Amino acid sequence: MSGGGTETPVGCEAAPGGGGKKRDSLGTPGSPAHVIIKDLGEIHSRLLDHRPVIQGETRYFVKEFEEKRGLREMRVLENLKNMIHETNEHMLPTCGETMRESLDQVLQRLQAATDSVCRLQQREQERKKIHNDHLLASEKQHIIQWEEFMKGQHSKQAAVDEEHRRAVGRLREQYAEMEKDLAKFSTF
C-alpha cells in the first residue's frame, strides 16, 4: 500500500546486505517481467489502496458542504436583511404611530384617574376633619356634662352631709333626752 515510502514490488526482495539495490533477476526496466510487476503494483494500489479515493471523496464532500452551507447562510442573511428592512420601513413607523395614539389615550385616562383619586382623597380628608371635629365637640360636651354632674354631686353631697349632720344632731338630742329619762328612772 503506498503511503509515501518506497515500495517493494511483489516478487522483489531487497538485497540481504541492506543496500538499496534491487535484484537483477527480474529484468531491466524495459523487460516484460518489469512491465508485469509494474502493472501488478498498479492493480494492487487500485484494489487495496483506497486512501486517494477516500481523500478525493472527502474533499468533494467538504467542498459541497461548504458551498451548501455558504448558500444557506447567504439565504438566512438575506432573509434577515429583508426582515430588518421591512421592520424599519413598515412596522416601526406603524408601531410608533400606534404607540403615540395609545399613549395619548393612556395619558388622558391616567389624568382622569388621578383627578378622581384626588377628589376621593379630598372628600376623605373632609370626612375625617368633620369626624374629628364632631369627636372634639362630643368630647367637650361630655367634659361639660361631667363637670355639671360633678357639681351636682358636690351640691348633693353637701345636702346629704347637711341632712346627715341634722340627723346626727337630732339623734344626739334624742339620746340625750333618753339618757335624762333613763337617769330619772334609775334614781328610783
Side-chain angles (χ1 to χ4, degrees), residues 68-149:
K68 287 179 182 177
R69 180 177 171 203
L71 291 175
R72 187 171 55 240
E73 288 178 358
M74 290 292 288
R75 283 194 304 264
V76 168
L77 290 174
E78 186 69 29
N79 288 341
L80 285 173
K81 179 183 154 195
N82 290 338
M83 285 174 55
I84 290 170
H85 179 71
E86 182 180 333
T87 302
N88 285 339
E89 295 295 319
H90 303 291
M91 302 281 281
L92 196 60
T94 304
C95 288
E97 191 176 309
T98 304
M99 185 178 66
R100 276 186 229 98
E101 291 172 2
S102 297
L103 280 179
D104 289 340
Q105 291 175 356
V106 167
L107 286 175
Q108 290 173 355
R109 290 179 182 173
L110 185 61
Q111 186 63 40
T114 303
D115 293 342
S116 297
V117 167
C118 286
R119 284 194 304 270
L120 286 172
Q121 207 172 25
Q122 187 177 9
R123 286 181 195 160
E124 186 65 27
Q125 287 175 345
E126 289 172 0
R127 279 190 212 130
K128 282 184 179 179
K129 184 179 178 194
I130 291 171
H131 184 68
N132 287 340
D133 291 345
H134 178 70
L135 284 176
L136 287 174
S138 178
E139 187 177 345
K140 285 180 183 179
Q141 185 179 5
H142 286 293
I143 289 172
I144 291 170
Q145 288 175 351
W146 182 255
E147 288 174 355
E148 288 175 4
F149 174 75

Side-chain angles (χ1 to χ4, degrees), residues 1-5 7 45-46 48-59:
M1 295 191 199
S2 64
E7 289 187 13
S45 68
R46 284 186 183 180
L48 301 176
D49 191 9
H50 301 294
R51 276 184 269 163
V53 174
I54 291 174
Q55 287 174 352
E57 288 294 322
T58 304
R59 279 194 291 273

